[in-house]
Amino acid sequence: MFSFSFDPAVDPVDLEVFRNRCAAIAEEMGAALGRSALSTNIKERRDFSCAVFDAQGRMVAQAAHIPVHLGAMPRSVEAALARGTLAPGDVVALNDPYLGGTHLPDITTVAPVCADGVLIGYTATRAHHADVGGMTPGSMPMSREVYQEGLIIPPTLLVRGDTPDESVIGLICRNSRTPDERRGDLAAQLACHRIGAQRLAELAERHSPAWVARHMEALLAYGERHMRAVIAAIPDGTYTFEDMLDNDGVDLDPLIIRVRIDIHGETAIVDFSGTAKQCRGPLNAPRAVTESAVIYCFRCLGPPDMPLSAGAYAPLDVRIPEGCMLAPRPPAAVAGGNVETAQRVVDVVFGALAQALPDRIPAASAGTMNNWTFGGVASNGASFAYYETLGGGMGARPTLPGLSGVQVHMTNTLNTPVEALERQFPLIVRRYGLRHGSGGAGRMRGGDGLVREVEFCAPVTVSLLSERRVYAPYGLNGGAAGLRGRNVLIRDGEERLLPGKTTVEMLPGDVLRIETPGGGGFGAPLR
């Protein structure tokens, strides 16, 4: 474990203003990215994240975007800086899951920020691109190795001295079924870097690069102090928990995730020994994703205004056996680790912490992002591809019921409006609403899941990557489990239950119904 020291010369009021300025920079970058992107996934669903880093590549501020992106992003920045010194105007792009990435559709861009010729920090973005190649449209296939999931981008210069490298951009676009979308979304990521650089440079011009560096260091120490206080409020002891993933989409065997949390004063050891070995299917989670889920859980125990800088990682010792499904060896498939396995990591960490803090930890939420992708060729010969996650039920809290139909834990995206979906793709949304009664019973009831029913008007290839179809979200303290999810194909009036992870060729007139899980209940139901 490492530690940061607080500079007593930094005024606390100045630091609070500086902290909010840095967070506002990340938020403004995100607003620009969302407004200027081309794809539905980024423009409507807001499947992206932005953050600010210091001159050593340590995260000092982030926007309130996607938890799994932000917690893993420092590893990508580390990989980007390891390739060599970045000059002003350079931008590095990468998506390699084994170099800090999450899964291949998430492309990260990293750019240096200078003021008066002095490096003062970096800005970073991560956006989910709806298609980067691979076996099936949407790049979330039932893969058995990472090479089947799309184009792998190691740290590569996308822009050199403010001049985009058209050969690299062309390579990325050529490997996508929707090249115009990729070009537009990449341009949006580059544009928001310019906003971030401008705002950070304004801070340095107003105060000085040295002042910015000193306050960034103080933010790191401030984040560490907050996390130490969070851990200190947890009773010392050892807490264990385990839960299952349904299967990996290739083999039908369940996959166990085990955790042991040792709390000692202001530090925590989070050990995943005993977790299943890396699997053949796409449910392996890169180490950065697992670390991201752990930091998220502990961050949830802090106050709403708790700063989440790199300093917050200091009191946490995350131990993951090499070669297990939470730290796989390449070329293991990882498309679903980011979206599904990360959710189960949250479930087991919270399950362990519930033993220490029974009056604070909620029951299990839906535990899946209910991923569905589809694609095909339109009547005009143009290819299309779409990716979406669906919300579910939130687990009941000790004093409040769970929310219904929301994105939970490691995801924080919006839904796609029906009007936008029907306008852009050959389908009709037949039903979209709450799955009433799917939340677990209890003194506090779990939130209900969703039902999305879509009729396709053209032949499409659909891929489903979903969990909690076999093992239900658990209740706590006598609360009942939430209902499991269901995927249903309706063809010629007949219903056929689909596996949680599958690829299906849909015909015109076919209907896909996705019923998402409800959250677990809390406490024994009252008579």
Side-chain angles (χ1 to χ4, degrees), residues 251-441:
D251 300 309
L252 296 180
D253 299 329
L255 301 164
I256 192 167
I257 297 179
R258 289 193 175 101
V259 71
R260 170 185 168 132
I261 301 177
D262 292 302
I263 304 294
H264 301 285
E266 297 181 345
T267 62
I269 299 172
V270 184
D271 192 336
F272 289 97
S273 296
T275 292
K277 299 294 185 183
Q278 66 186 62
C279 56
R280 293 201 296 161
L283 266 288
N284 300 290
R287 180 180 294 271
V289 169
T290 306
E291 293 170 341
S292 179
V294 172
I295 192 73
Y296 163 81
C297 291
F298 281 86
R299 168 64 184 84
C300 286
L301 300 177
D305 62 345
M306 175 181 171
L308 188 55
S309 65
Y313 293 72
L316 293 169
D317 183 359
V318 182
R319 302 178 181 179
I320 313 170
E322 191 70 25
C324 80
M325 67 178 303
L326 303 182
R329 298 185 178 95
V334 297
N338 173 48
V339 289
E340 297 302 293
T341 308
Q343 297 283 54
R344 196 66 71 256
V345 172
V346 170
D347 289 341
V348 299
V349 172
F350 274 153
L353 290 174
Q355 301 163 32
L357 302 169
D359 58 342
R360 295 193 62 192
I361 304 298
S365 295
T368 173
M369 296 191 196
N370 302 290
N371 308 268
W372 68 298
T373 60
F374 66 83
V377 179
S379 57
N380 62 0
S383 296
F384 60 87
Y386 177 70
Y387 167 72
E388 184 178 23
T389 61
L390 296 177
M394 176 184 176
R397 294 156 285 181
T399 59
L400 290 169
L403 301 176
S404 296
V406 293
Q407 302 280 3
V408 292
H409 294 321
M410 298 308 290
T411 180
N412 190 31
T413 56
L414 302 180
N415 69 332
T416 302
V418 171
E419 297 83 356
L421 198 57
E422 292 184 338
R423 183 181 69 243
Q424 188 163 352
F425 301 104
L427 56 79
I428 300 170
V429 178
R430 293 297 187 190
R431 181 182 175 192
Y432 187 34
L434 294 179
R435 187 187 179 198
H436 295 291
S438 57

Side-chain angles (χ1 to χ4, degrees), residues 45-56:
R45 292 188 57 248
R46 304 301 173 98
D47 197 344
F48 60 80
S49 300
C50 300
V52 176
F53 294 74
D54 73 357
Q56 298 180 52

